[in-house]
Amino acid sequence: MKVIRKVDELREYSIEQRSKGKTVGFVPTMGFLHEGHVSLITRASLECDIVITSLFVNPTQFAPHEDFDSYPRDFEHDYNLAKNADCDVLFAPARGEMYPEGATTSLSVGDLAYVFEGKYRPHFFDGVATVVSKLFSAALPNKAFFGQKDYQQTLVVKALSRDMLMGVEIVVCPIVRETSGLAMSSRNKYLTDEEKSKAKILFQSLVATKEFIESSERNRKKINAFMHEYLRKLEILKIDYALAADAYNLSEPSEFEEGMDVVLLLGTILGKTRLIDNMVVKIPVSNYNEDERFQAGLK
Ligand code: PAF
């Protein structure tokens, strides 16, 4: 596996590969890789001829009070994991490569950046869009692979590729979880053992809410209340949001329609650690006709 630190070198490498007819898959990360990242690299290597993984802790997606300085970094660990996962190139640029001196240009995502996670981290999605666009310009990928764990981020990068005419196909890969159900994240390193075992409540609340919906609940407020009530069992958990929305555009109708894909989105803080999770649930299609639904109190 090659390590590249310069943008120009990465771009040349990618142009060369593509000129040979090879497809380039790209996995952007902030490093401190775990099994979730490995699953993205593996998927990229199944779908593309060449896999580039980036390691870059992007300063513009952190607010001044957030964990940019303490964000875990371990190049050797990342190198070994990426190499074992059949990555071809590890791109590990210095800050000045990604944000050259005097750089002032940034991208603005629009409304999607200020709801759900964006309401609590208003700087975050513009920072992500800006750095992902720079990384795409450097790696020139055919496809880029993102984890569903950062659900809203996947919507933002899909919109980015579409709106900025980037032509990069965004592939969203399933969440990888610990056996307890806790979604894997580099930030799990901040959790104490006790917090880690308690953090499984996020996944449990999603599973319970999925069952609640599948028992034919379609009222958004009732679904949200159910999730909140479940999570409140863990008193030390601070709930920023626990909300259901249309899985494609995050709109929030009062009643979800039959057959619709709904995403349950969680943003919480446990101790000092921000934990997010989500699950997509299909609203069941009823077998009743309109009259029967009315009689059964479903309408
Ligand atoms: O998901 C992440 O790790 C980051 O937000 C990303 C996409 C690498 C941009 O810095």
Side-chain angles (χ1 to χ4, degrees), residues 28-30 37 56 58 61 124 128 131-132 135 146 150 153:
T29 83
M30 297 209 297
H37 297 115
F56 181 67
N58 172 38
Q61 67 192 73
F124 178 67
V128 167
V131 81
V132 168
L135 289 165
F146 291 83
D150 294 282
Q153 173 172 277

Side-chain angles (χ1 to χ4, degrees), residues 67-189:
D67 56 342
F68 175 74
D69 290 328
S70 57
Y71 196 86
R73 294 158 169 91
D74 186 342
F75 181 79
E76 207 178 311
H77 160 91
D78 292 344
Y79 180 92
N80 291 327
L81 241 67
K83 189 166 182 227
N84 290 337
D86 276 341
C87 175
D88 298 285
V89 173
L90 201 56
F91 177 54
R95 183 175 176 150
E97 272 299 293
M98 297 306 294
Y99 292 93
E101 223 181 306
T104 54
T105 309
S106 64
L107 285 177
S108 165
V109 167
D111 293 349
L112 195 50
Y114 304 111
V115 291
F116 300 93
E117 187 67 5
K119 187 167 165 199
Y120 298 88
R121 305 186 70 198
H123 53 283
F124 178 67
F125 290 112
D126 286 352
V128 167
T130 301
V131 81
V132 168
S133 112
K134 287 167 182 265
L135 289 165
F136 283 2
S137 299
L140 301 175
N142 299 87
K143 294 187 181 187
F145 298 78
F146 291 83
Q148 189 197 312
K149 200 203 104 216
D150 294 282
Y151 190 86
Q152 197 172 348
Q153 173 172 277
T154 66
L155 297 183
V156 165
V157 292
K158 279 182 189 169
L160 171 73
S161 182
R162 178 199 64 203
D163 298 352
M164 304 311 285
L165 318 179
M166 290 171 161
V168 178
E169 184 186 332
I170 307 300
V171 182
V172 179
C173 305
I175 300 176
V176 178
R177 299 182 180 278
E178 312 259 0
T179 31
S180 68
L182 175 65
M184 290 206 183
S185 161
S186 305
R187 286 194 170 98
N188 290 352
K189 182 184 171 0

Side-chain angles (χ1 to χ4, degrees), residues 2 67 103 195 206 220:
K2 240 167 127 70
D67 56 342
E195 285 170 344
L206 293 170
R220 184 176 53 80

